[in-house]
Amino acid sequence: MLNRKINFLLIVMLIVAIIVPSQIGFVHSATGAIRVNSTTTSVSNQQVIAGDNVNLYFGDSSIKWAGHNFYLLLSRDLATTFSTGDHVYSPMFSVAALQDSSVKYYSNNEGAWVIGNNWVNGTFASNMATGRYSVKAFDFSSAGTETDTNTVAVTDTFITVNTPPPGQFTFQITPNEGPGGVPVQFSGSGYPPNTAIDIAYYDQAYLEYRAWKRETTNASGSFSFTAAIPDLGKSNQQGDTPETFNRVQFKTQHQGLTYNFATYDQYARGIKSIGDHSAYGLYGNGSNLVSTFKAKAGDTFTITGKWFHQGVVYVLLDSVTVMGTVTRNQWSNDAIQIGSGITNSLGHFEATVTIPKATSGGEHYISIEDAQSSLILKILITDGTFEISPSSGSGGANIQFTGSGYPPLRDVDITYRDGLYGSWNYWTTVEADATGNINVDAKIPDLKKNGYAGDYDPISSQIMFRTESNDKIYAYATYTQYARGLKQVGSQTATGLYGGSTNFANYGMKVKPGDTLTISGHYFHPGVIYVRWDGQAVVNTVTPDQWTTAEKIGNTITNAQGSFDITIQIPQANNGLHWVSIEDSQTNFIIRLLVETPTTPTPSPSPSPSTDTGSPSTPKPSPSPSTPPSTDKPTPAINLQCKSVPIDAGYRVEISGTCSNNNAGIANKAIQLYNSKDGGKTWEPLSLVTTNNEGKFNAVWVSLTSGTFLIKAECTATTEYNSATATVNVVIEPILGNNHNGVNVFTLTSNSTISQLVFNSKNSELSFTASGTSGSTGYVSVNIPKTLINDLTNLKVYLDGKELAYSNNSQEPDTWIITITYTHSTHTITLNFNNTQNQNLQPTQIIIIAAIIIIGITIATVAITRTQKKKPQKQN
């Protein structure tokens, strides 16, 4: 009997040990009670006018979060799970921002919200029917998808939505966007005649509506007046950030009853340019431009800004001495006015400023002030000069550093900025001569970069240097280092440069053993260049050890700029794709060539002569194009690349590109950027940008949603150039599933049409279809977060099931950028990240496994019990 009890106890313990762990850790979504207009239990049946504000409190002890971001959903029930008909009506909020003591602002087409201190205060969906609603909160869980059907947090009572009184109550603001403090027109109609209508606006600082104006309608129930929009005093965020706005909501009321709403998008102040440096977006308050902008005492330059309060804008310098952090009293007492300007109707201004000659060198603050607010920037005023000659070229090139204005006969340290870690590293020391000048020759550090696979405009990276003496910063200088590339391979000549991993079979190029091939390249490390062949047999991936023993088929020496020209002979090799490595002293640059041994053709019979003596028909002329480009003017080449990162309001898409002619960048070229969400049927203007001295341009676009978009860049025809257009497909795809929660994204840029994109988190595999005009060359660049794969050697790329070479062009600390090229048709492309981490079983899988084990144990236990019953009892 005791043995049976022990067996039974063991079985129970085993069942508990199996079932309990399977039920732990799978509550992936938010839980708890959301309070309505209260920090404690809500008053039953809350009332709200559609489009008005509701305050939701998430500080109750029952609220639990499993993810980092969440949405609000409208529902018709109080269930703690998703229900049929529940739908998202808010932007994606940050849990961290919700719990932070400061407030953050969000908006979408449905309205505006302010979150912080565990409150979400904002618009209750405006276009909704009357009735009772609840609000649910769903967060991105460790399970990882928006469609996760586990528990959600839900309001502890219904919110009854009412509509305004019957009638056509209109309310408009014209214009409905711009800076603060500008006069705009408010108008409305359909109200009771000769009645006082109150107009209130939502104060984002105090999270409540404030009475603002009272207007009396005329005999037809209309009103119209002009007034200055309240100025929120907001500036853009620190750094070079996209232009942002705060949505100010107004409403009309009579005797406490809300009639209608209207909004005004108030743009935040920002500086567009300072001297010859322009922001891609706007420089916001607190921006540190020490490493970007430098001026000497006595210099004069201009500052331009946008969205300031209408009127005079003053520019102040902290003082003639370095003040460090400047207090309000110091700004009042010690600051020096160095310039001013007057805004136009949009709050844009231009001010000419002059740095006083007595100003000491070092880090200084300047304050740009209007009647309501000030925006402060940090700049460097130098005591010395610092120049690099040449200022651009290859890595490892010989350059000359020169400068003046340093302490005589004192050491001057030269440091450079590590682009990967953002730190300043010591490089070398030079002694200033008796007049305070420095002069030193040195080799520039080699960043070992290769261009993108395919034919691209040359890409570059900047290395910033600075000089210091006696713990004081004197000056900065920048060197532009171009990535290695090939200009010519055999009969193929690049429009820009061919990058690493370029497959020349995609250009219709074939070689056979014994052929001679000329290869030329630019921006390689100065010195000896070796060319190696992978081997006679077709070799797929070639390891560094294999390259060491690979056959050397040529060598040459670059010039001082890293350019070379070499003729090689193709060795005996099997048919198929072969690898060729072009090596300098720092790295190797690999391309692919298709080897095809020709077969002896069967002789064909000679054709019989034609007996047709008729007159040849007159060919019909082809129609001329409607707007032919001029043959007397060159047509620029535009290149586009995109990268996206998640932000609270959607996705920040960084657009970069070049505009060039014959590989030379075209400076000061106006580029209009557009995006299309419907496959090119309609286009929405994004930004008008101007290329810099190297022909480069950058812009930032905020997309509220993920998906597939077209990005187009255009430049108009001028007396010097024809017009030009470039269009790319851009795909933004959040990474969801398993341990991914949408805080990282894939970004694909391609000249192909991308479709059927799927990320399989279980297999850690991204697949999609790429299609284009048959026979043309296609490419895809994919931005891959390093949180997904920290070692790129684990990445395998497949084209229609066959492994495909790719180039790694990553210049970002947190992102891999890989590029693949192919000949267009319709292809299935797969990226396998070889994620070897254990995959968590889903709850249903574990429960099924547990049930099978329990059934097995139960059957075994019954069998043992029956066997014990059949055993004869021992006789005493």
Side-chain angles (χ1 to χ4, degrees), residues 136-393:
K136 297 179 180 180
F138 166 75
D139 62 351
F140 289 103
S141 68
S142 55
T145 66
E146 295 180 44
T147 55
D148 190 341
T149 56
N150 288 307
T151 57
V152 294
V154 63
T155 51
D156 60 352
T157 188
F158 283 109
I159 302 169
T160 299
V161 175
N162 302 307
T163 57
Q168 297 298 317
F169 304 107
T170 68
F171 185 29
Q172 296 91 26
I173 302 175
T174 307
N176 62 358
E177 64 176 11
V182 295
V184 299
Q185 184 181 47
F186 293 81
S187 60
S189 63
Y191 297 88
N194 304 312
T195 301
I197 300 297
D198 293 318
I199 300 173
Y201 74 95
Y202 191 72
D203 190 320
Q204 296 178 345
Y206 294 93
L207 310 180
E208 64 183 13
Y209 274 99
R210 288 187 174 272
W212 184 57
K213 294 283 185 181
R214 173 171 288 184
E215 287 294 318
T216 301
T217 60
N218 59 22
S220 62
S222 300
F223 67 85
S224 178
F225 66 92
T226 298
I229 282 286
D231 194 330
L232 302 179
K234 300 290 184 181
S235 296
N236 243 37
Q237 294 181 358
Q238 182 177 339
D240 184 354
T241 56
E243 295 186 21
T244 58
F245 62 82
N246 295 277
R247 182 160 289 168
V248 188
Q249 188 173 53
F250 294 80
K251 66 180 180 179
T252 54
Q253 294 176 300
H254 176 60
Q255 295 181 349
L257 184 63
T258 298
Y259 282 85
N260 210 335
F261 298 89
T263 59
Y264 179 87
D265 293 339
Q266 185 171 138
Y267 282 86
R269 295 161 172 80
I271 300 301
K272 186 60 184 176
S273 67
I274 176 169
D276 58 356
H277 291 268
S278 294
Y280 298 129
L282 291 175
Y283 295 126
N285 187 39
S287 296
N288 187 343
L289 305 184
V290 166
S291 59
T292 304
F293 175 79
K294 56 184 178 181
K296 292 186 69 177
D299 281 356
T300 297
F301 53 89
T302 60
I303 297 176
T304 64
K306 300 176 70 174
W307 313 119
F308 280 72
H309 196 92
Q310 200 166 33
V312 181
V313 174
Y314 298 99
V315 182
L316 306 179
L317 177 72
D318 49 11
S319 72
V320 294
T321 59
V322 181
M323 299 298 298
T325 300
V326 186
T327 66
R328 185 173 298 275
N329 287 336
Q330 287 172 319
W331 278 121
S332 301
N333 300 325
D334 300 328
I336 305 166
Q337 182 180 325
I338 58 175
S340 65
I342 298 177
T343 64
N344 62 16
S345 60
L346 292 177
H348 300 186
F349 77 90
E350 178 177 311
T352 300
V353 302
T354 300
I355 303 296
K357 291 185 177 181
T359 306
S360 60
E363 296 179 357
H364 283 262
Y365 290 94
I366 57 174
S367 177
I368 299 94
E369 302 182 355
D370 58 25
Q372 299 295 312
S373 184
S374 61
L375 185 153
I376 295 177
L377 303 177
K378 192 175 186 180
I379 66 170
L380 180 73
I381 298 177
T382 64
D383 281 339
T385 66
F386 190 35
E387 305 292 337
I388 297 178
S389 181
S391 60
S392 64

Side-chain angles (χ1 to χ4, degrees), residues 793-844:
T793 59
N794 291 330
L795 175 66
K796 301 293 182 184
V797 179
Y798 300 92
L799 181 74
D800 299 329
K802 296 181 180 180
E803 188 170 352
L804 180 70
Y806 61 85
S807 64
N808 169 26
N809 308 299
S810 178
Q811 300 181 44
E812 304 287 343
D814 56 354
T815 306
W816 302 111
I817 305 174
I818 67 112
T819 302
I820 54 178
T821 58
Y822 41 83
T823 300
H824 265 140
S825 59
T826 298
H827 299 291
T828 298
I829 298 173
T830 303
L831 281 67
N832 188 294
F833 303 103
N834 194 25
N835 190 345
T836 57
Q837 296 177 353
N838 293 329
Q839 304 294 328
N840 293 327
L841 293 173
Q842 297 299 312
T844 53

Side-chain angles (χ1 to χ4, degrees), residues 551-608:
E551 179 182 359
K552 189 188 301 180
I553 59 173
N555 63 274
T556 187
I557 297 175
T558 69
N559 62 17
Q561 289 74 45
S563 298
F564 72 89
D565 191 308
I566 185 173
T567 299
I568 61 171
Q569 186 174 45
I570 304 299
Q572 289 299 316
N574 294 346
N575 286 357
L577 281 170
H578 283 262
W579 299 88
V580 180
S581 176
I582 299 102
E583 303 177 359
D584 57 27
S585 63
Q586 299 297 306
T587 187
N588 61 341
F589 183 103
I590 297 174
I591 61 173
R592 301 199 80 176
L593 296 176
L594 177 62
V595 175
E596 282 194 358
T597 303
T599 57
T600 303
T602 303
S604 301
S606 301
S608 300

